[in-house]
C-alpha cells in the first residue's frame, strides 16, 4: 500500500505517533488510507449539505475495511460571483483545486480517494486531480437542486436572471421579481437545469468515474446518501482490484462523454473542461472532436435553459444510464470500457431503461438532428469559438448583423439594460479571455438580459470570454485567439458587419484584409495592473481552445 510509506517499519514510529494523536487505533492505522476530498462550505447551495455526503462516504469506506481521512477543498459559486470582480477568480480556481488536492494526497500517501464536488469548477478540478494522481478513485457529487415553483410553473436560477431583463423591459413588476427570487432556488443542490455543474456531474458518470445516478439523483433524496455509502465501498473494491482512473478514463470513455454531452445539450463550458481533464490522462482532444460527435449524435433532451425540463425530470426518466442506453441504438458508444462500478459500461446498461420518451426522446424524434454544441471557425475565430446550438432559436442560426463593441462585460451590461441594443445588433464583448480578463468570466447577466428583454430572436453576443450553462440564445463564446493575444476580435470596430452561420460552422468578420492589416498595425493591447493569483493565471494560462489550462 502507498500509505505504508507513512506507517510501516520502526523508523515510522513518529508518523504513527502523529496519527494516534488524531485518535486512530493501531487497527485503523493498519488499514488502507482513503482520502475523502470534501468541498463543503456555507456559501454555495450545492455544497451546503456535502458534510452529510462525506459522512456517508466515510461510513462506506469503514464498512469495506478502509480508514477514511477527510480534507477540504475550496469552491466558488459562479452565480454569486457573477457580474462583478469575483468572476475573474472562478476559472483559475479549477487549477488551484487540482493542485491543492495533489499536494495533500501526495504528501500523505493515500491509497485511494473519494472526491465530493458539486458546482462549477470543483468538478473538473477534482477530475483533473484524479487523473493526475491515478490512484483508485470514485467521484460522488452532491446532486442537483429541485426546481422551484412560481405561480404554478417550474422555475430556476435562470428565471431570476432573465427576470431582471423583464423588469427592465417593463414586462415584469419588481414585486413579482422579488417573489421569484424567493422560490426559484428551493434548497440544497447544484442549480436545477443543465448548467455547468450538472453538465459536468452528468459527464463524470458518462466517463465512468462516477457511479450510475451520480449526475441526476436529487441532492435532497436519501438515495443520494445511499449512493455516497456505495461510493465509499466501491473505492475499496477498486483498490483491491487495482483499477485506477486512467484505466477508466480512456480515449474511448472520453468519446462516450462527448456523445452524452451532445445528447443532453450541455453547457459550453464542457468544451473548456473536458479537454483539460483529458490532458491529465495524457489524451489530447481537439475542438473538432466535438463537431465530429455533434454530427453523429442528435440532441435528445431539452433541459433548462433551452427547454422545459429540469434535472429531476431526467432522473425520473432513467438518468444518464438511460440516455446512454438510447445512444447504443446509434452504435456511437464504446460499451466495453471499464467504470467505477467494477463492471463495463455494457454490463451497467443491462438494467437501464428509458422511462419517459418526452424527456429522453427516441432517436427518430430528436429535438435536433445534431448535438447540442457546435464549434465555429472563420475570420473572426481562426482557432475556434463555441455555441450551444440547441439553445439558439431557428431565426438566429444564420445572421449577419452590426457589431456593437465593448471592452468589458460591465460596459456592455450598462448599455443592454439601458435599452441601447436594438434588433440586428451583434454585441461583441472582448478582453474577457483567459489572459485578457483575466480568468475568462462567465456572462450570464448580459445574455439573460437580452433574453429577458425579448431580444434573443434578434440579437447575438460574441465574446472571447465564456458563458454560464444557464445561457441560451445566439451566444458565441471562447472566440480564439482572444483579444489580449491579438486575435481578430481585438480588431472589430463599432459598425462592422459580422456573419454567423451555425449550420456551416462559420463566424466571419466582413472587413477587407487591407483594413484589418491597418488596424493591426495600430493595435496595442490594454495594460492592466494585476496582482496575486490573477497575475499568475494571466501569465500561465493557455487559450480557450486548449481548455484554458496552465501551460506546462
Amino acid at each position: 500500500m502507498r500509505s505504508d510509506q507513512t506507517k510501516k517499519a520502526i523508523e515510522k514510529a513518529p508518523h504513527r505517533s502523529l496519527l494516534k494523536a488524531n485518535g486512530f487505533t493501531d487497527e485503523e492505522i493498519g488499514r488502507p488510507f482513503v482520502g475523502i476530498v470534501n468541498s463543503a462550505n456555507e456559501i454555495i447551495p450545492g455544497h451546503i449539505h456535502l458534510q452529510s455526503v462525506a459522512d456517508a462516504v466515510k461510513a462506506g469506506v469503514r464498512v469495506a475495511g478502509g480508514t477514511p481521512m477527510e480534507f477540504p477543498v475550496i469552491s466558488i459559486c459562479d452565480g454569486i460571483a457573477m457580474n462583478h470582480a469575483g468572476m475573474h477568480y472562478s476559472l483559475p480556481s479549477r487549477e488551484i483545486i487540482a493542485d491543492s488536492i495533489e499536494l495533500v494526497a501526495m504528501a500523505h500517501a493515500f491509497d485511494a480517494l473519494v472526491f465530493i464536488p458539486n458546482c462549477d469548477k470543483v468538478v473538473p478540478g477534482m477530475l483533473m486531480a484524479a487523473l493526475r494522481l491515478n490512484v483508485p478513485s470514485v467521484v460522488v457529487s452532491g446532486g442537483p437542486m429541485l426546481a422551484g415553483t412560481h405561480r404554478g410553473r417550474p422555475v430556476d436560477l435562470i428565471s431570476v436572471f432573465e427576470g431582471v431583463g423583464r423588469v427592465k423591459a417593463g414586462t415584469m413588476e419588481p414585486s413579482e421579481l422579488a417573489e421569484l427570487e424567493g422560490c426559484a432556488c428551493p434548497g440544497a443542490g447544484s442549480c436545477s437545469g443543465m448548467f455547468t455543474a450538472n453538465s459536468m456531474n452528468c459527464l463524470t458518470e458518462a466517463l465512468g468515474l462516477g457511479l450510475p445516478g451520480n449526475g441526476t439523483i436529487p441532492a435532497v433524496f436519501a438515495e443520494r446518501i445511499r449512493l455516497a455509502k456505495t461510493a465509499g465501498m466501491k473505492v475499496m473494491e477498486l483498490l483491491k482490484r487495482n483499477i485506477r482512473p486512467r484505466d477508466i478514463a480512456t480515449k474511448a470513455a472520453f468519446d462516450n462523454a462527448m456523445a452524452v454531452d451532445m445528447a443532453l445539450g450541455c453547457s459550453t463550458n464542457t468544451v473548456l473542461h473536458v479537454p483539460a481533464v483529458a490532458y491529465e490522462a495524457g489524451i489530447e482532444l481537439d475542438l473538432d472532436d466535438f463537431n465530429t460527435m455533434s454530427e453523429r449524435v442528435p440532441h435528445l433532451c431539452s433541459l433548462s435553459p433551452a427547454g422545459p425540463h429540469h434535472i429531476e425530470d431526467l432522473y425520473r426518466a432513467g438518468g444518464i444510464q438511460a440516455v446512454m442506453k438510447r445512444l447504443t441504438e446509434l452504435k456511437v458508444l464504446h460499451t466495453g470500457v471499464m467504470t467505477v462500478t467494477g463492471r463495463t459500461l455494457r454490463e451497467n446498461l443491462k438494467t437501464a431503461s428509458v422511462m419517459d420518451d418526452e424527456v429522453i426522446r427516441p432517436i427518430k424524434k430528436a429535438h435536433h438532428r445534431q448535438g447540442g454544441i457546435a464549434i465555429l471557425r472563420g475570420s473572426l475565430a481562426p482557432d475556434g469559438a463555441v455555441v450551444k446550438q440547441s439553445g439558439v432559436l431557428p431565426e438566429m442560426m444564420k445572421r449577419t448583423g452590426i457589431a456593437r463593441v465593448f471592452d468589458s462585460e460591465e460596459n456592455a451590461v450598462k448599455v443592454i439594460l439601458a435599452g441601447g441594443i436594438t434588433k440586428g445588433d451583434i454585441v461583441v464583448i472582448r478582453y474577457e479571455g483567459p489572459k485578457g480578463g483575466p480568468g475568462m468570466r462567465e456572462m450570464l447577466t448580459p445574455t439573460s438580459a437580452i433574453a429577458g428583454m425579448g431580444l434573443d430572436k434578434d440579437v447575438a453576443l460574441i465574446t472571447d470570454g465564456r458563458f454560464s450553462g444557464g445561457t441560451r440564445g445566439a451566444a458565441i463564446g471562447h472566440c480564439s485567439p482572444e483579444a489580449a493575444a491579438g486575435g481578430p476580435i481585438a480588431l472589430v470596430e463599432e459598425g462592422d458587419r459580422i456573419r454567423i452561420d451555425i449550420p456551416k460552422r462559420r463566424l466571419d468578420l466582413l472587413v477587407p484584409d487591407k483594413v484589418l492589416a491597418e488596424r493591426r498595425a495600430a493595435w496595442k493591447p490594454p495594460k492592466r495592473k494585476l496582482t496575486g493569483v490573477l497575475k499568475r493565471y494571466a501569465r500561465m494560462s493557455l487559450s480557450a481552445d486548449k481548455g484554458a489550462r496552465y501551460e506546462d
Side-chain angles (χ1 to χ4, degrees):
M1 292 188 296
R2 293 179 74 247
S3 61
D4 286 350
Q5 301 172 57
T6 67
K7 61 189 181 185
K8 282 289 180 76
I10 191 168
E11 61 267 24
K12 297 300 166 59
H15 304 63
R16 293 191 295 271
S17 181
L18 288 168
L19 290 167
K20 288 180 178 180
N22 293 333
F24 290 118
T25 65
D26 285 331
E27 183 177 354
E28 288 174 304
I29 293 171
R31 294 175 178 178
F33 288 173
V34 181
I36 312 301
V37 191
N38 187 5
S39 57
N41 62 44
E42 296 183 349
I43 307 167
I44 309 174
H47 294 234
I48 193 73
H49 65 302
L50 291 188
Q51 193 55 55
S52 61
V53 176
D55 290 343
V57 170
K58 288 185 283 188
V61 169
R62 291 188 184 101
V63 164
T67 297
M69 298 180 181
E70 181 183 335
F71 64 93
V73 166
I74 64 164
S75 53
I76 290 173
C77 178
D78 278 17
I80 297 172
M82 197 78 65
N83 193 33
H84 61 89
M87 183 47 69
H88 289 294
Y89 293 85
S90 177
L91 186 57
S93 76
R94 184 187 71 180
E95 318 306 313
I96 291 171
I97 288 164
D99 289 350
S100 65
I101 294 169
E102 178 186 5
L103 289 169
V104 175
M106 292 301 294
H108 300 100
F110 288 117
D111 299 299
L113 295 162
V114 179
F115 296 89
I116 308 173
N118 213 22
C119 293
D120 301 311
K121 308 309 161 287
V122 186
V123 189
M126 287 192 178
L127 289 172
M128 290 165 69
L131 287 165
R132 187 184 299 175
L133 292 164
N134 201 35
V135 299
S137 300
V138 177
V139 179
V140 55
S141 77
M145 185 186 292
L146 296 175
T149 302
H150 180 248
R151 300 189 178 184
R153 65 182 181 93
V155 292
D156 55 42
L157 180 64
I158 305 311
S159 308
V160 187
F161 270 97
E162 293 186 1
V164 175
R166 292 177 62 192
V167 169
K168 293 291 184 179
T171 60
M172 177 184 279
E173 292 296 324
S175 58
E176 185 179 347
L177 179 60
E179 284 179 28
L180 181 58
E181 73 176 60
C183 59
C185 299
S190 49
C191 296
S192 57
M194 190 50 75
F195 315 142
T196 302
N198 289 326
S199 294
M200 289 305 301
N201 284 326
C202 289
L203 295 191
T204 298
E205 182 178 338
L207 191 59
L209 292 175
L211 292 167
N214 179 72
T216 60
I217 298 171
V220 295
F221 284 16
E223 188 179 355
R224 176 62 56 179
I225 298 301
R226 297 198 297 272
L227 186 77
K229 289 179 180 177
T230 303
M233 292 184 280
K234 279 295 178 184
V235 79
M236 295 302 296
E237 178 185 333
L238 297 177
L239 177 60
K240 290 172 185 174
R241 295 174 60 184
N242 196 29
I243 298 174
R244 299 167 181 257
R246 292 185 200 171
D247 300 324
I248 294 168
T250 60
K251 177 57 166 66
F254 278 100
D255 286 344
N256 290 348
M258 285 189 287
V260 172
D261 189 341
M262 298 304 156
L264 293 176
C266 285
S267 164
T268 52
N269 281 315
T270 62
V271 179
L272 278 180
H273 298 322
V274 172
V277 173
Y279 181 82
E280 297 290 349
I283 297 167
E284 293 279 355
L285 293 182
D286 188 86
L287 289 184
D288 290 334
D289 292 329
F290 288 87
N291 264 347
T292 299
M293 194 60 72
S294 184
E295 293 287 344
R296 299 178 66 194
V297 179
H299 176 219
L300 303 181
C301 304
S302 187
L303 298 154
S304 177
H309 300 126
H310 291 84
I311 303 297
E312 65 201 75
D313 301 307
L314 181 58
Y315 162 74
R316 295 188 181 99
I320 301 307
Q321 301 298 300
V323 173
M324 298 183 85
K325 185 68 169 278
R326 182 136 279 168
L327 290 179
T328 59
E329 299 171 25
L330 290 172
K331 302 189 185 304
V332 295
L333 296 183
H334 305 277
T335 57
V337 295
M338 179 56 66
T339 72
V340 291
T341 64
R343 302 186 299 272
T344 64
L345 177 61
R346 182 182 300 111
E347 293 172 303
N348 291 345
L349 294 182
K350 286 180 181 179
T351 57
S353 60
V354 177
M355 309 300 291
D356 189 326
D357 282 340
E358 185 53 37
V359 176
I360 307 173
R361 288 274 187 94
I363 302 296
K364 292 182 179 179
K365 294 183 178 180
H367 294 283
H368 302 97
R369 184 186 66 79
Q370 296 181 338
I373 287 175
I375 306 299
L376 312 182
R377 296 183 189 272
S379 62
L380 186 55
D383 292 343
V386 61
V387 62
K388 188 173 183 175
Q389 63 177 346
S390 59
V392 179
L393 294 170
E395 51 265 55
M396 291 300 293
M397 295 294 283
K398 293 184 179 182
R399 178 60 60 107
T400 299
I402 303 301
R404 301 295 308 280
V405 184
F406 303 93
D407 286 349
S408 72
E409 178 190 4
E410 287 86 353
N411 290 340
V413 169
K414 287 177 185 177
V415 174
I416 293 168
L417 293 179
I421 300 299
T422 60
K423 294 181 179 181
D425 287 346
I426 295 180
V427 177
V428 176
I429 304 177
R430 63 192 179 192
Y431 298 107
E432 292 285 7
K435 292 182 179 295
M440 204 178 183
R441 289 192 289 177
E442 283 186 349
M443 299 190 190
L444 183 56
T445 297
T447 57
S448 295
I450 288 169
M453 297 170 79
L455 293 172
D456 52 324
K457 294 181 180 179
D458 302 287
V459 172
L461 192 154
I462 299 170
T463 182
D464 53 5
R466 61 193 178 92
F467 298 112
S468 163
T471 289
R472 62 184 176 94
I476 300 168
H478 309 189
C479 193
S480 300
E482 63 175 291
I489 193 172
L491 308 180
V492 182
E493 292 187 359
E494 191 87 3
D496 285 349
R497 294 172 68 243
I498 295 173
R499 183 170 59 221
I500 299 166
D501 192 333
I502 296 173
K504 290 186 178 180
R505 305 294 195 256
R506 295 291 303 181
L507 181 63
D508 290 296
L509 176 61
L510 304 181
V511 174
D513 291 343
K514 181 180 179 181
V515 174
L516 289 179
E518 292 171 353
R519 292 180 186 177
R520 182 170 296 284
W523 174 78
K524 293 181 180 179
K527 293 183 178 180
R528 302 190 65 180
K529 186 175 181 180
L530 299 172
T531 60
V533 66
L534 295 183
K535 183 177 181 179
R536 290 193 294 275
Y537 187 78
R539 184 178 70 247
M540 298 171 64
S541 62
L542 293 173
S543 176
D545 63 295
K546 301 297 184 185
R549 57 178 172 80
Y550 281 162
E551 187 173 10
D552 289 338

